Amino acid sequence: MSRRRQIYEGKAKILYEGPEPGTIIQYFKDDATAFNAEKKGTINGKGVINNRISEHIFTLLGHIGIPSHFIRRLNMREQLVKQVEIVPIEVIVRNVAAGSLSKRLGIEEGTPLPHTLLEYCYKDDALGDPLVAEEHIACFGWASQEEMQDISAMAIRINDFMAGMFAGIGVKLVDFKLEFGRVFEGDFSRIILADEISPDGCRLWDIKTNEKLDKDRFRRDLGGEAEAYQEVARRLGLFPEGSSEVTDLNSERKKRGK
Ligand code: UDP
């Protein structure tokens, strides 16, 4: 692993050069950050779980025709993906008011929205990923109008699919974040889904109790974050009891004394 060239280290992942040109290896860390990295910590086993959950969701999305950077999972913490040029926009998809939307507009957390809301944030850590309008995206050329059409249409399809998938396992999909990238084919480029989809970037509430099963447990010091991530994976049918991955995950946690 040490011989590989590291391309980038982010808050939750490290990117390494992949085995073939145009590929990248995503390594999922246990590190967790919140509030623009003002709060830092670790969630034991998170990287393993997020790698598996993201693989699962990207694979299912592929089955309904959503193109993504995902190629295959390599091991417990790594997946092989296509290299993309990341569109510098975070797409936030909301079904229920929570987090920054509730704060900004004074809408009580948990209020269902009359229809799905898409918001865009400009990806810039120094600026704290500010909310922007489509007009800003066009004005500063962060994405073309055609690209934004593809992005918004894909985001709505992804939401429809994921909301149903999570409802089927007793989880309410409150909101989540998506990132997209460009792949170049000759003179043309097309937009594909990139990054990851995991409880790090989604709000997932138990349908009956509204118990939070996502990174808000870490953000809001609620405790039990590792268990919540594991519960999401369990309900999705990943890491079946007795599988070697569960044993590995538990021994990894024991080693760390947690
Ligand atoms: N989100 C994310 N990364 C970010 C900002 C938001 O993954 O940099 C996710 C977050 O987990 C939540 C949704 O996007 O599921 C909406 O987040 P919100 O705008 O409410 O921001 P927050 O309250 O998390 O600061």
Side-chain angles (χ1 to χ4, degrees):
M1 202 159 86
S2 52
R3 275 179 286 117
R4 283 192 317 221
R5 197 171 74 84
Q6 183 176 316
I7 298 172
Y8 173 78
E9 175 154 11
K11 286 171 247 173
K13 292 191 289 294
I14 305 174
L15 304 183
Y16 296 98
E17 212 165 56
E20 292 123 39
T23 63
I24 280 187
I25 293 168
Q26 287 200 134
Y27 175 94
F28 288 74
K29 301 192 282 184
D30 285 350
D31 296 352
T33 61
F35 313 118
N36 204 20
E38 273 170 40
K39 181 181 164 98
K40 289 195 177 97
T42 55
I43 301 174
N44 289 313
K46 170 173 86 80
V48 176
I49 296 173
N50 283 358
N51 185 22
R52 192 72 184 83
I53 291 178
S54 202
E55 171 198 21
H56 181 68
I57 297 178
F58 275 59
T59 302
L60 294 179
L61 288 173
H63 293 161
I64 63 154
I66 302 288
S68 82
H69 73 162
F70 181 77
I71 301 172
R72 66 175 183 276
R73 187 166 62 89
L74 297 172
N75 54 50
M76 280 175 68
R77 287 187 180 270
E78 294 178 329
Q79 51 180 244
L80 185 67
V81 299
K82 284 183 199 152
Q83 185 163 28
V84 298
E85 180 183 277
I86 285 285
V87 175
I89 301 294
E90 292 190 344
V91 180
I92 311 284
V93 186
R94 299 183 184 274
N95 300 306
V96 175
S100 68
L101 176 77
S102 290
K103 223 177 183 176
R104 196 184 328 124
L105 301 178
I107 302 169
E108 197 186 338
E109 280 216 323
T111 310
L113 300 174
H115 62 80
T116 299
L117 189 61
L118 293 187
E119 290 180 338
Y120 305 106
C121 295
Y122 178 52
K123 262 172 76 73
D124 187 316
D125 282 340
L127 299 175
D129 298 342
L131 182 73
V132 293
E134 283 194 72
E135 283 76 5
H136 295 96
I137 299 172
C139 183
F140 298 109
W142 295 323
S144 72
Q145 227 105 315
E146 293 74 34
E147 287 176 329
M148 287 311 291
Q149 267 169 19
D150 287 350
I151 286 173
S152 56
M154 268 193 253
I156 293 291
R157 285 196 69 205
I158 293 167
N159 181 56
D160 286 347
F161 177 82
M162 280 182 33
M165 178 188 76
F166 279 117
I169 55 166
V171 171
K172 196 191 290 180
L173 179 61
V174 172
D175 58 32
F176 60 101
K177 187 235 353 178
L178 295 173
E179 292 190 27
F180 293 87
R182 295 182 186 97
V183 274
F184 294 89
E185 285 151 11
D187 288 343
F188 297 96
S189 73
R190 64 189 180 98
I191 292 286
I192 64 175
L193 177 64
D195 194 43
E196 69 176 283
I197 299 181
S198 71
D200 264 6
C202 302
R203 284 198 169 91
L204 304 169
W205 296 358
D206 181 87
I207 280 184
K208 288 204 190 113
T209 64
N210 279 338
E211 186 192 353
K212 296 183 199 319
L213 300 171
D214 55 57
K215 207 166 88 174
D216 271 350
R217 300 208 72 84
F218 169 77
R219 290 191 191 97
R220 302 180 187 190
D221 294 320
L222 299 173
E225 42 272 60
E227 290 75 13
Y229 280 56
Q230 227 163 359
E231 175 64 10
V232 174
R234 190 191 65 77
R235 290 198 199 180
L236 285 169
L238 311 173
F239 302 115
E241 237 10 86
S243 78
S244 61
E245 282 152 320
V246 161
T247 326
D248 289 351
L249 197 59
N250 287 336
S251 63
E252 218 184 276
R253 287 174 67 182
K254 271 193 206 122
K255 256 189 260 160
R256 292 166 197 242
K258 297 258 169 130

